Amino acid sequence: DQNGGSYETLLQTAKYIQSHIPCEPKVGIICGSGMGSLAEALENKIVIPYHDIPNFPVSTVEGHAGQLVFGTLSKVFVVCMQGRFHYYEGYPLWKCAMPIRVMKLIGVEFLIATNAAGGINTAFMEGDVMLIKDHINMMGFAGNNPLQGPNDIRWGPRFPPMNKAYDTDLINQAKQIWKQEELKGRLFDGVYTCLGGPNFETVAELRMLKLLGVDAVGMSTVHEVLTARHCDMTVLAFSLITNVCLMDYHDHDNMPTHEEVMDVGKIRQGTLKLFVEKIVAYIAENRLMT
Ligand SMILES: Nc1nc2ncn(CCNC(CO)CO)c2c(=O)[nH]1
């Protein structure tokens, strides 16, 4: 039941974390599969394993360390989720997204969510990066939503708008940063959708998603963004395309694997670290209400 995520419960969780950190983090970063190395860019790290944090779930997926990493990035005190929670692990969506509410309670105003995803847009190749300009809440269509159940107004409104979920200024700045820093590889923007998993998609499902205008498919992020926007955080999110979704019935032996997903994350980690660092620097200089 959602009591495990009540405001009072999460206040206790926030208090525990605050007793281990010197100040309020203003930016929260979620590391996608195989992208935990983003947290290595932080200076003066403080690490709190999820299993030490009251009411926190624990990560059960390879490539997801399972700890909060606090530290300085571009002179900003930030918090990094090295490992996130997924519906396919058996956690309800509100539980997968509860770290976002805890981040809000400890001062986070900006969320940078990253994930690994399958490329549906036929222009995409492995290693490309897609800024998420919008999402389709596929699981929500079946009523599976982190915000369902009684609404506690202290988080946000009963019926939150989602037409401007992804901050256009940060998207535009991210594109400029990619060019200015001459980051390796290609940057796109597109529509992301989250399926429950743990299986990868069938050909028919991929064809349907393509018809629906989806550019990249994953198993995370949408519920975290819904929760972040509900409590009025500013959100930027991007996908690392870790495999190209094959949408034909030809007999090929190419099957997506989690190992392949993590390998691409390792190859692109250097570029993504710099990308996030520069985005945080922009937020610090232009968007933080100091
Ligand atoms: N076709 C396809 N390719 C993908 N690459 C990464 N992910 C995100 C899901 N990642 C899982 C399995 O690696 C671990 O959370 C996906 C996906 O959901 N579908």
Side-chain angles (χ1 to χ4, degrees):
D1 70 345
Q2 295 226 18
N3 276 340
S6 71
Y7 196 86
E8 285 68 23
T9 305
L10 298 193
L11 266 184
Q12 296 312 313
T13 304
K15 279 196 177 57
Y16 172 86
I17 293 171
Q18 285 166 324
S19 68
H20 289 77
I21 54 177
C23 59
E24 287 195 342
K26 285 295 154 203
V27 179
I29 300 162
I30 305 177
C31 300
S33 294
M35 296 156 71
S37 62
L38 288 176
E40 283 153 28
L42 272 53
E43 284 152 12
N44 310 320
K45 292 188 191 65
I46 299 167
V47 177
I48 311 180
Y50 293 159
H51 57 69
D52 287 352
I53 305 174
N55 316 304
F56 239 65
V58 287
S59 288
T60 66
V61 182
E62 196 191 348
H64 286 265
Q67 55 195 19
L68 283 185
V69 182
F70 293 84
T72 311
L73 192 60
S74 309
K75 301 197 204 62
V76 180
F77 190 63
V78 307
V79 55
C80 219
M81 278 182 71
Q82 216 176 29
R84 58 144 59 91
F85 308 114
H86 308 81
Y87 190 66
Y88 61 73
E89 293 179 70
Y91 297 121
L93 287 178
W94 67 265
K95 201 158 205 173
C96 295
M98 57 80 83
I100 304 302
R101 289 184 160 173
V102 173
M103 284 187 190
K104 178 72 179 183
L105 291 177
I106 64 176
V108 170
E109 291 301 328
F110 289 81
L111 179 69
I112 300 174
T114 75
N115 64 50
I120 290 184
N121 184 313
T122 47
F124 293 177
M125 294 191 312
E126 250 173 57
D128 287 344
V129 175
M130 184 193 87
L131 290 165
I132 299 176
K133 71 177 176 191
D134 206 355
H135 71 229
I136 292 178
N137 178 12
M138 193 57 74
M139 295 168 74
F141 285 8
N144 195 354
N145 190 303
L147 304 177
Q148 74 197 87
N151 183 61
D152 184 324
I153 195 71
R154 290 172 287 185
W155 297 120
R158 170 78 275 188
F159 302 107
M162 284 298 152
N163 57 309
K164 297 170 70 87
Y166 298 87
D167 189 87
T168 41
D169 170 54
L170 291 183
I171 289 173
N172 293 334
Q173 291 304 328
K175 290 177 178 174
Q176 284 188 37
I177 288 165
W178 191 273
K179 269 200 226 87
Q180 280 156 9
E181 300 298 325
E182 297 175 338
L183 295 182
K184 276 204 331 295
R186 304 185 310 163
L187 180 71
F188 296 88
D189 61 45
V191 174
Y192 173 87
T193 198
C194 171
L195 302 185
N199 57 285
F200 288 109
E201 315 74 22
T202 67
V203 171
E205 287 161 350
L206 289 169
R207 285 181 168 181
M208 178 188 122
L209 292 175
K210 185 170 168 51
L211 280 177
L212 295 173
V214 171
D215 295 296
V217 56
M219 302 177 192
S220 72
T221 309
V222 168
H223 39 281
E224 291 144 327
V225 170
L226 288 169
T227 304
R229 291 300 293 149
H230 182 237
C231 62
D232 202 25
M233 280 186 188
T234 302
V235 172
L236 178 76
F238 64 78
S239 297
L240 172 65
I241 304 303
T242 53
N243 69 290
V244 169
C245 298
L246 297 174
M247 275 174 255
D248 55 40
Y249 288 100
H250 298 326
D251 201 6
H252 49 69
D253 53 6
N254 183 318
M255 309 262 263
T257 65
H258 188 56
E259 288 64 34
E260 168 193 90
V261 168
M262 293 190 291
D263 290 347
V264 177
K266 283 199 181 31
I267 294 165
R268 299 292 278 140
Q269 63 182 330
T271 297
L272 295 180
K273 254 189 242 180
L274 189 53
F275 190 37
V276 170
E277 219 166 289
K278 296 298 179 188
I279 291 166
V280 170
Y282 170 78
I283 291 171
E285 283 142 34
N286 303 277
R287 297 290 300 268
L288 280 187
M289 308 306 151
T290 39

